[in-house]
């Protein structure tokens, strides 16, 4: 049923815009429905609650993100693909706004995505540590790099750059700054 | 009039909590008034609008922050005081939650604090660059540090660490990671 799939996709896109512009807390299903020309009952048919819609938006984002990190990649390729992902992110400011605002809202333990973001950052730190350990095993990590710190830092840097970039896209070159930082950690060209 | 000053302060504290928990967009003056036991008209007497209350909250935060950075300090002392500020921040999670969420909301050009955060980050980058240039002039900056990148990075790192720390305070040691990063830039002990 392509028409129905299409409607689901349209609702997801409208939700990304609304959650990214004013936040999950301040978004309403009625407004999201109106935004994509779907009736309120029509939206509820696809997503029974705002929480269900948020879950679907985050799952959609995760699926997109995973495409950038094939399982078989080397440690250096994880870093290279992270740079490529951030190069791509510059072309989708709406998704970055969604991510920054949802993560910020979700620091509140009462937010429905709180557990999701706790698990997400624990996984990001673990995956980044694993990549850096692999690079060290291959002899390509600079001496003196603390893998634990570096993993937390890389993920903090990506997040912090997004805030500054959303506020001043012409002044903050996210991919270049990230690339230079990652390059400073490893001995081989990224 | 100490009683009146006290009420103003109570409203500001309640606003910090509300803006930090659910965001400015989702906060209501009625709830903030109820939270600190003030009538709605009583709150409006001090702050005629939610925007006025947000402005006062941000000004209050700025005044607090400026105490950490006396004008006469050396470049190295700017970095040392930034570490001290982040050490202090660990003791005020409510204020950090407020900051992270308000900055995220304000990436939307329609948000009343959009200009404030645009100006704030431009100033943070400029002040950090100035400190790093001073450190270089004093011969204490490691060769190869790009001052422009480093200034953007330091501010991104502080912001990104706050998100991870709010979600997992026991796992993310913000001051230590910041200190190690800043120490990696300079030749003298911080």
């Amino acid at each position: 049923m392509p028409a129905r799939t299409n409607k689901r996709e349209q609702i997801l896109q409208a939700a990304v815009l609304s959650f990214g512009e004013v936040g999950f807390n301040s978004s309403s299903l009625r407004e999201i429905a109106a935004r994509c020309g779907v009736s309120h009952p029509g939206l509820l048919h696809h997503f029974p609650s705002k929480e269900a819609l948020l879950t679907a938006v985050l799952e959609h984002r995760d699926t997109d993100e995973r495409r950038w990190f094939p399982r078989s990649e080397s440690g250096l390729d994880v870093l290279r693909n992270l740079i490529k992902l951030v190069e791509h992110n510059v072309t989708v400011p709406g998704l970055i706004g969604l991510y920054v605002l949802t993560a910020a809202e979700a620091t509140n333990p009462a937010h429905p995505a709180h557990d999701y973001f706790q698990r997400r950052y624990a996984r990001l730190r673990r995956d980044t540590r694993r990549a850096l350990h692999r690079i060290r095993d291959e002899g390509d990590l600079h001496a003196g790099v603390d893998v634990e710190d570096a993993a937390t830092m890389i993920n903090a840097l990506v997040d912090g750059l997004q805030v500054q970039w959303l506020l001043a896209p012409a002044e903050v070159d996210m991919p270049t700054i990230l690339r230079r930082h990652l390059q400073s950690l490893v001995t081989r060209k990224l």
Side-chain angles (χ1 to χ4, degrees), chain A:
Chain A
M1 288 182 289
R4 185 169 160 184
T5 311
N6 196 28
K7 194 169 276 184
R8 192 177 187 277
E9 183 66 28
Q10 284 169 5
I11 297 168
L12 282 175
Q13 293 307 322
V16 164
L17 290 176
S18 182
F19 295 165
E21 283 168 9
V22 298
F24 170 81
N25 294 333
S26 213
S27 291
S28 86
L29 290 184
R30 278 179 198 284
E31 276 173 298
I32 291 170
R35 189 162 202 157
C36 56
V38 170
S39 69
H40 188 218
L43 186 148
L44 292 174
H45 173 70
H46 290 277
F47 303 100
S49 67
K50 199 164 67 154
E51 287 72 16
L53 186 50
L54 177 63
T55 301
V57 162
L58 294 174
E59 275 171 8
H60 196 262
R61 221 200 65 86
D62 282 349
T63 308
D64 256 20
E65 190 176 76
R66 271 194 295 273
R67 287 187 302 124
W68 296 87
F69 299 100
R71 286 192 164 239
S72 59
E73 65 190 348
S74 74
L76 284 170
D77 280 342
V78 173
L79 303 190
R80 289 181 185 124
N81 289 334
L82 180 58
I83 297 166
K84 280 185 199 157
L85 172 58
V86 172
E87 281 168 350
H88 168 71
N89 284 348
V90 176
T91 68
V92 288
L95 278 176
I96 304 310
L98 165 81
Y99 182 82
V100 166
L101 184 44
T102 311
E105 286 184 310
T107 60
N108 182 343
H111 190 279
H114 183 70
D115 290 354
Y116 168 88
F117 278 98
Q118 282 190 317
R119 285 196 308 273
R120 175 175 166 77
Y121 280 102
R123 189 184 70 242
L124 286 175
R125 287 192 293 270
R126 194 174 58 237
D127 289 353
T128 313
R129 282 199 301 269
R130 191 176 297 152
L132 294 172
H133 278 302
R134 233 180 265 175
I135 296 170
R136 170 164 287 166
D137 291 346
E138 290 157 7
D140 298 330
L141 199 72
H142 271 300
V145 172
D146 178 300
V147 165
E148 190 86 19
D149 277 8
T152 306
M153 255 195 78
I154 289 166
N155 290 294
L157 181 58
V158 170
D159 283 358
L161 285 175
Q162 287 176 341
V163 174
Q164 290 187 60
W165 172 74
L166 286 167
L167 286 162
E171 284 161 56
V172 177
D173 184 345
M174 292 201 290
T176 300
I177 294 177
L178 177 65
R179 175 188 293 279
R180 287 184 186 154
H181 174 62
L182 296 179
Q183 187 63 74
S184 78
L185 305 175
V186 301
T187 56
R188 279 176 60 187
K189 174 113 178 59
L190 286 178

